[in-house]
């Protein structure tokens, strides 16, 4: 098994108490409706009040072998 990891995204919807995991950045954008530049700022540490009240954003590392099992 190789040691390659990919960055993936985890969003927690505070209104529905639902956690979603995404492999592609565009999937995150489609789910929450936030513009791409705004998402880049959020994942780099910015906390805009409008979205912080609705979601919790997190970048996570997922090992390659787990991605292959999930897809």
């Amino acid at each position: 098994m190789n040691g390659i990891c990919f960055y993936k995204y985890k969003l927690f919807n505070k209104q529905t108490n639902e956690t979603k995991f995404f492999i592609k950045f565009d999937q995150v954008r489609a789910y929450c409706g936030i513009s791409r530049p705004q998402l880049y700022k959020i994942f780099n540490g910015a906390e805009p009040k409008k979205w912080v009240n609705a979601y919790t954003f997190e970048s996570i590392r997922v090992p390659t072998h787990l991605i292959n099992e999930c897809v």
Side-chain angles (χ1 to χ4, degrees):
M1 180 180 343
N2 57 19
I4 296 174
C5 289
F6 292 93
Y7 284 103
K8 301 303 165 200
Y9 310 101
K10 176 182 170 183
L11 266 70
F12 175 72
N13 187 328
K14 294 178 182 178
Q15 297 166 348
T16 62
N17 291 328
E18 180 180 36
T19 301
K20 291 268 193 176
F21 296 90
F22 299 97
I23 294 175
K24 296 182 180 180
F25 196 79
D26 287 337
Q27 294 171 329
V28 176
R29 194 177 80 178
Y31 173 72
C32 61
I34 303 173
S35 68
R36 189 176 193 89
Q38 189 67 41
L39 279 173
Y40 281 127
K41 290 177 185 176
I42 291 169
F43 282 111
N44 284 328
E47 294 186 1
K49 292 179 183 175
K50 181 178 179 181
W51 302 113
V52 171
N53 293 335
Y55 299 100
T56 300
F57 299 89
E58 187 178 349
S59 290
I60 57 174
R61 293 176 67 99
V62 180
T64 305
H65 67 91
L66 292 178
I67 293 172
N68 293 336
E69 290 174 5
C70 296
V71 174

